[in-house]
Amino acid sequence: MTTSNDIGAGGNQMDKIAVLIPCYNEEKTIGKVIRDAKAALPEATIYVYNNNSKDRTAEIAAEAGAVVRNEYMQGKGNVIRRMFREIDALVYVMVDGDDTYPMESAREMVDMVLNRNADMVVGDRLSSTYYQENKRPFHNFGNNLVRGSINKLFGCNIRDIMTGFRAFSYEFVKTFPVLSKGFEIETEMTIHAVYNNMQIENVVIDYRDRPEGSVSKLNTYSDGFKVLRTIMRLYRSYKPFWFFLMIAIVLALVSIGFFIPILQEYWTTHMVPRFPTLIVCCFIMLSAVQAFFAGVILSTMAIGDRRQFEMQLNMLQRHKENDYNG
């Protein structure tokens, strides 16, 4: 049954494959993306989520045969939150509406979820044509910086963090807490999958730059800063012991650095003429000790959260089987 918020055909039952396309002012490319998705995955239901577009994006998507819905809170993260809440499917394919990702790889990505138990399949642009096609050098630098930071901090080997072409399992979608509002959402997805030991696969895909007349909504500097801030926020949440240990080490080194001259002077003169500095050193060292124990406590809580997550996965597995078979 089509809801009143839909334009086009579609149902509320669980789909086998759902193609999710978040869109904001993509009238020049959305029709082709939908046609390509139908050709690659003819059995899929295609959903276009219109995010306050001021052009004919929604109208063109409906004419092309997609189910069109609206998300009125601006930002890609808000759109994906709405998609993941409303759509039930065995496998989800998420692709941008700007026609930069050829859909020919979609079938391979879907098969990895359905037949190889993958929870997230990453469309890897950086191993193919991205650096040749992309005309924005700071984007290239930013992609490498984000990829290197996450792989180092979380001990993983994800080849493309910022790609907008991915496939997901039902379990991933229904356990992913969307906290980001904008383009940092891809970073959040990746870290969620890595931290929770979900199966991640990489598929090398071609990338093509936007066609003439299609404008990117990504701001290199402001969105890049948001992505880096998201990495640190999630590192603090998922790896609290190491995060607060680093803070404790820095504070301890500062305290020791200022304390050593005072100690040397005391050994020489048996006097402590700089009492204010000594007091500050003591408070800084106390802060270091507090940071260390905060990391220990929060790490114990994070382990408890992981146990709850595993139990939630088991419940979702039974729920998915009952819904799809029933």
Side-chain angles (χ1 to χ4, degrees):
M1 180 180 68
T2 303
T3 69
S4 60
N5 205 27
D6 295 347
I7 305 174
N12 291 331
Q13 76 280 1
M14 177 176 279
D15 300 306
K16 181 178 181 181
I17 304 172
V19 177
L20 309 180
I21 309 175
C23 275
Y24 173 63
N25 292 343
E26 301 289 4
E27 67 176 3
K28 293 184 178 298
T29 53
I30 186 59
K32 183 177 184 300
V33 173
I34 294 170
R35 291 191 295 271
D36 289 349
K38 286 184 174 182
L41 301 168
E43 73 274 37
T45 304
I46 300 173
Y47 297 90
V48 171
Y49 273 69
N50 176 43
N51 192 205
N52 301 313
S53 295
K54 298 176 178 62
D55 59 10
R56 297 180 61 245
T57 296
E59 182 181 344
I60 293 173
E63 292 172 353
V67 179
V68 179
R69 296 179 178 175
N70 292 296
E71 170 53 50
Y72 299 102
M73 294 176 64
Q74 197 66 39
K76 189 174 183 180
N78 291 322
V79 178
I80 291 174
R81 180 190 296 112
R82 180 69 60 189
M83 289 175 164
F84 285 3
R85 284 178 183 174
E86 294 184 352
I87 307 301
D88 291 332
L90 292 183
V91 56
Y92 303 76
V93 177
M94 185 183 76
V95 64
D96 292 340
D98 56 10
D99 194 33
T100 56
Y101 302 100
M103 291 296 295
E104 289 79 8
S105 302
R107 176 62 63 184
E108 181 182 1
M109 298 169 74
V110 166
D111 288 342
M112 283 188 170
V113 175
L114 292 178
N115 302 320
R116 293 185 55 185
N117 301 323
D119 290 296
M120 183 172 70
V121 183
V122 176
D124 174 19
R125 313 158 297 168
L126 303 186
S127 299
S128 61
T129 58
Y130 181 80
Y131 294 110
Q132 292 76 38
E133 289 288 327
N134 183 47
K135 306 301 189 298
R136 293 153 292 184
F138 282 105
H139 284 205
N140 298 339
F141 172 77
N143 271 288
N144 290 330
L145 176 62
V146 171
R147 177 177 60 173
S149 299
I150 290 178
N151 286 338
K152 186 70 174 177
L153 291 172
F154 291 89
C156 57
N157 185 29
I158 308 299
R159 298 175 191 166
D160 191 349
I161 305 296
M162 306 295 293
T163 179
F165 191 17
R166 301 172 188 244
F168 307 104
S169 68
Y170 176 85
E171 289 80 5
F172 176 92
V173 166
K174 298 305 180 182
T175 59
F176 174 52
V178 182
L179 302 178
S180 300
K181 298 178 181 179
F183 285 98
E184 63 271 28
I185 186 68
E186 283 94 353
T187 303
E188 193 173 17
M189 288 176 174
T190 302
I191 295 175
H192 172 76
V194 169
Y195 174 75
N196 288 295
N197 197 31
M198 306 185 91
Q199 183 175 332
I200 305 172
E201 301 287 349
N202 295 282
V203 171
V204 177
I205 63 170
D206 289 331
Y207 176 86
R208 53 192 176 221
D209 206 4
R210 282 174 170 268
E212 186 176 354
S214 178
V215 180
S216 174
K217 288 77 179 177
L218 180 64
N219 185 293
T220 302
Y221 301 103
S222 65
D223 286 315
F225 176 75
K226 290 177 183 177
V227 167
L228 294 176
R229 186 175 61 186
T230 297
I231 293 174
M232 294 313 300
R233 171 175 60 82
L234 293 175
Y235 188 72
R236 181 192 63 198
S237 299
Y238 290 149
K239 302 269 189 176
F241 176 76
W242 295 107
F243 180 85
F244 284 99
L245 178 62
M246 288 189 291
I247 294 177
I249 290 173
V250 170
L251 291 172
L253 290 175
V254 170
S255 177
I256 293 171
F258 282 99
F259 177 72
I260 288 176
I262 298 175
L263 184 62
Q264 290 174 335
E265 192 170 352
Y266 175 76
W267 280 342
T268 303
T269 65
H270 298 288
M271 297 180 65
V272 184
R274 291 183 290 171
F275 265 105
T277 303
L278 178 62
I279 293 172
V280 171
C281 288
C282 293
F283 276 111
I284 293 176
M285 184 59 73
L286 180 60
S287 298
V289 172
Q290 290 178 324
F292 173 79
F293 282 106
V296 172
I297 294 170
L298 291 173
S299 180
T300 303
M301 295 173 63
I303 294 173
D305 291 340
R306 284 289 302 276
R307 293 194 183 100
Q308 292 295 324
F309 179 82
E310 292 299 324
M311 294 175 63
Q312 185 181 5
L313 276 183
N314 293 333
M315 295 174 61
L316 275 173
Q317 180 67 31
R318 292 193 294 269
H319 179 73
K320 178 184 73 174
E321 293 173 355
N322 292 336
D323 278 6
Y324 189 72
N325 296 328

